[in-house]
């Protein structure tokens, strides 16, 4: 099975359109993110996904709670459409 990169559908709308600007924006979001509030293992994490310009700071603060050296056997990602009312 050949793996192909998917062309970004909304680049430049909800996040920067070029990789250098995107990396810079993500670095700023994580620099401004809240520091971890506990030393233990993160059992679950729910973060918003409304585009980096809208919810990137909250998402970065959430991901910042995961210890840098953490290892997990399973990670699950789910995306609900906003029309689902969730």
């Amino acid at each position: 099975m050949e793996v192909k990169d998917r062309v970004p559908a909304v680049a430049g709308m909800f996040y920067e359109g070029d990789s250098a600007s995107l990396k810079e924006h993500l670095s700023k979001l994580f620099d401004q993110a809240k520091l971890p509030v506990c030393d233990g293992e993160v059992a679950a994490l729910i973060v918003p996904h409304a585009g980096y310009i809208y919810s990137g700071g909250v998402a970065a603060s959430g991901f910042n709670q995961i210890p840098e050296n953490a290892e997990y056997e399973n990670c699950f990602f789910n995306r609900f459409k906003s029309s689902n009312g969730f």
Side-chain angles (χ1 to χ4, degrees):
M1 175 187 219
E2 182 181 348
V3 177
K4 295 182 180 180
D5 289 337
R6 180 180 145 322
V7 177
V10 292
M13 295 170 58
F14 297 104
Y15 54 88
E16 284 71 7
D18 66 274
S19 62
S21 296
L22 179 59
K23 287 179 184 179
E24 182 179 339
H25 188 186
L26 290 173
S27 291
K28 286 180 182 178
L29 289 171
F30 278 96
D31 287 344
Q32 298 168 357
K34 291 186 179 183
L35 296 174
V37 295
C38 70
D39 295 333
E41 181 179 302
V42 175
L45 181 65
I46 299 172
V47 297
H49 180 266
Y52 299 142
I53 61 174
Y54 301 112
S55 62
V58 174
S61 291
F63 288 120
N64 209 32
Q65 304 309 303
I66 302 171
E68 193 171 317
N69 61 348
E71 292 185 24
Y72 292 93
E73 188 174 321
N74 296 302
C75 292
F76 301 94
F77 297 89
N78 198 348
R79 182 183 74 77
F80 294 98
K81 292 183 179 182
S82 58
S83 62
N84 290 347
F86 187 79

PDB file of all heavy atoms in Angstrom, residues 51-63:
ATOM      1  N   GLY A  51      -8.946  25.080  15.274  1.00  0.00           N
ATOM      2  CA  GLY A  51      -7.957  25.868  14.566  1.00  0.00           C
ATOM      3  C   GLY A  51      -7.020  26.516  15.572  1.00  0.00           C
ATOM      4  O   GLY A  51      -7.451  26.969  16.631  1.00  0.00           O
ATOM      5  N   TYR A  52      -5.731  26.554  15.254  1.00  0.00           N
ATOM      6  CA  TYR A  52      -4.741  27.074  16.195  1.00  0.00           C
ATOM      7  C   TYR A  52      -5.021  28.510  16.602  1.00  0.00           C
ATOM      8  O   TYR A  52      -4.764  28.901  17.730  1.00  0.00           O
ATOM      9  CB  TYR A  52      -3.338  26.977  15.605  1.00  0.00           C
ATOM     10  CG  TYR A  52      -2.907  25.564  15.281  1.00  0.00           C
ATOM     11  CD1 TYR A  52      -2.162  25.299  14.146  1.00  0.00           C
ATOM     12  CD2 TYR A  52      -3.246  24.515  16.115  1.00  0.00           C
ATOM     13  CE1 TYR A  52      -1.766  24.011  13.843  1.00  0.00           C
ATOM     14  CE2 TYR A  52      -2.856  23.223  15.815  1.00  0.00           C
ATOM     15  CZ  TYR A  52      -2.103  22.982  14.678  1.00  0.00           C
ATOM     16  OH  TYR A  52      -1.715  21.707  14.383  1.00  0.00           O
ATOM     17  N   ILE A  53      -5.568  29.309  15.691  1.00  0.00           N
ATOM     18  CA  ILE A  53      -5.816  30.706  16.029  1.00  0.00           C
ATOM     19  C   ILE A  53      -6.937  30.855  17.049  1.00  0.00           C
ATOM     20  O   ILE A  53      -7.021  31.871  17.728  1.00  0.00           O
ATOM     21  CB  ILE A  53      -6.112  31.551  14.772  1.00  0.00           C
ATOM     22  CG1 ILE A  53      -7.363  31.042  14.044  1.00  0.00           C
ATOM     23  CG2 ILE A  53      -4.914  31.572  13.852  1.00  0.00           C
ATOM     24  CD1 ILE A  53      -7.798  31.917  12.877  1.00  0.00           C
ATOM     25  N   TYR A  54      -7.790  29.865  17.181  1.00  0.00           N
ATOM     26  CA  TYR A  54      -8.905  29.937  18.123  1.00  0.00           C
ATOM     27  C   TYR A  54      -8.615  29.187  19.426  1.00  0.00           C
ATOM     28  O   TYR A  54      -8.867  29.704  20.499  1.00  0.00           O
ATOM     29  CB  TYR A  54     -10.182  29.369  17.501  1.00  0.00           C
ATOM     30  CG  TYR A  54     -10.588  30.095  16.247  1.00  0.00           C
ATOM     31  CD1 TYR A  54     -10.517  29.471  15.021  1.00  0.00           C
ATOM     32  CD2 TYR A  54     -11.021  31.414  16.297  1.00  0.00           C
ATOM     33  CE1 TYR A  54     -10.882  30.143  13.861  1.00  0.00           C
ATOM     34  CE2 TYR A  54     -11.380  32.100  15.150  1.00  0.00           C
ATOM     35  CZ  TYR A  54     -11.309  31.449  13.932  1.00  0.00           C
ATOM     36  OH  TYR A  54     -11.659  32.118  12.798  1.00  0.00           O
ATOM     37  N   SER A  55      -8.140  27.965  19.329  1.00  0.00           N
ATOM     38  CA  SER A  55      -7.997  27.144  20.540  1.00  0.00           C
ATOM     39  C   SER A  55      -6.591  26.581  20.721  1.00  0.00           C
ATOM     40  O   SER A  55      -6.383  25.726  21.570  1.00  0.00           O
ATOM     41  CB  SER A  55      -9.004  25.998  20.506  1.00  0.00           C
ATOM     42  OG  SER A  55      -8.751  25.162  19.388  1.00  0.00           O
ATOM     43  N   GLY A  56      -5.639  27.073  19.962  1.00  0.00           N
ATOM     44  CA  GLY A  56      -4.273  26.551  20.044  1.00  0.00           C
ATOM     45  C   GLY A  56      -3.643  26.698  21.413  1.00  0.00           C
ATOM     46  O   GLY A  56      -2.928  25.807  21.877  1.00  0.00           O
ATOM     47  N   GLY A  57      -3.899  27.806  22.094  1.00  0.00           N
ATOM     48  CA  GLY A  57      -3.328  28.003  23.422  1.00  0.00           C
ATOM     49  C   GLY A  57      -3.851  27.003  24.434  1.00  0.00           C
ATOM     50  O   GLY A  57      -3.092  26.467  25.246  1.00  0.00           O
ATOM     51  N   VAL A  58      -5.144  26.734  24.380  1.00  0.00           N
ATOM     52  CA  VAL A  58      -5.739  25.750  25.296  1.00  0.00           C
ATOM     53  C   VAL A  58      -5.213  24.355  24.974  1.00  0.00           C
ATOM     54  O   VAL A  58      -4.862  23.593  25.874  1.00  0.00           O
ATOM     55  CB  VAL A  58      -7.286  25.794  25.213  1.00  0.00           C
ATOM     56  CG1 VAL A  58      -7.904  24.681  26.043  1.00  0.00           C
ATOM     57  CG2 VAL A  58      -7.792  27.144  25.667  1.00  0.00           C
ATOM     58  N   ALA A  59      -5.144  24.015  23.688  1.00  0.00           N
ATOM     59  CA  ALA A  59      -4.640  22.699  23.291  1.00  0.00           C
ATOM     60  C   ALA A  59      -3.183  22.534  23.709  1.00  0.00           C
ATOM     61  O   ALA A  59      -2.802  21.489  24.244  1.00  0.00           O
ATOM     62  CB  ALA A  59      -4.805  22.506  21.785  1.00  0.00           C
ATOM     63  N   ALA A  60      -2.366  23.551  23.499  1.00  0.00           N
ATOM     64  CA  ALA A  60      -0.947  23.471  23.882  1.00  0.00           C
ATOM     65  C   ALA A  60      -0.814  23.289  25.390  1.00  0.00           C
ATOM     66  O   ALA A  60       0.017  22.502  25.855  1.00  0.00           O
ATOM     67  CB  ALA A  60      -0.203  24.718  23.418  1.00  0.00           C
ATOM     68  N   SER A  61      -1.636  23.999  26.160  1.00  0.00           N
ATOM     69  CA  SER A  61      -1.603  23.838  27.618  1.00  0.00           C
ATOM     70  C   SER A  61      -1.990  22.421  28.015  1.00  0.00           C
ATOM     71  O   SER A  61      -1.417  21.845  28.944  1.00  0.00           O
ATOM     72  CB  SER A  61      -2.537  24.848  28.297  1.00  0.00           C
ATOM     73  OG  SER A  61      -2.027  26.154  28.148  1.00  0.00           O
ATOM     74  N   GLY A  62      -2.952  21.838  27.301  1.00  0.00           N
ATOM     75  CA  GLY A  62      -3.329  20.456  27.569  1.00  0.00           C
ATOM     76  C   GLY A  62      -2.200  19.490  27.247  1.00  0.00           C
ATOM     77  O   GLY A  62      -1.825  18.659  28.078  1.00  0.00           O
ATOM     78  N   PHE A  63      -1.646  19.609  26.052  1.00  0.00           N
ATOM     79  CA  PHE A  63      -0.552  18.711  25.667  1.00  0.00           C
ATOM     80  C   PHE A  63       0.678  18.911  26.536  1.00  0.00           C
ATOM     81  O   PHE A  63       1.469  17.992  26.733  1.00  0.00           O
ATOM     82  CB  PHE A  63      -0.202  18.879  24.193  1.00  0.00           C
ATOM     83  CG  PHE A  63      -1.240  18.308  23.263  1.00  0.00           C
ATOM     84  CD1 PHE A  63      -1.899  19.113  22.350  1.00  0.00           C
ATOM     85  CD2 PHE A  63      -1.571  16.964  23.313  1.00  0.00           C
ATOM     86  CE1 PHE A  63      -2.865  18.595  21.491  1.00  0.00           C
ATOM     87  CE2 PHE A  63      -2.531  16.423  22.470  1.00  0.00           C
ATOM     88  CZ  PHE A  63      -3.180  17.242  21.565  1.00  0.00           C
TER      89      PHE A  63
END
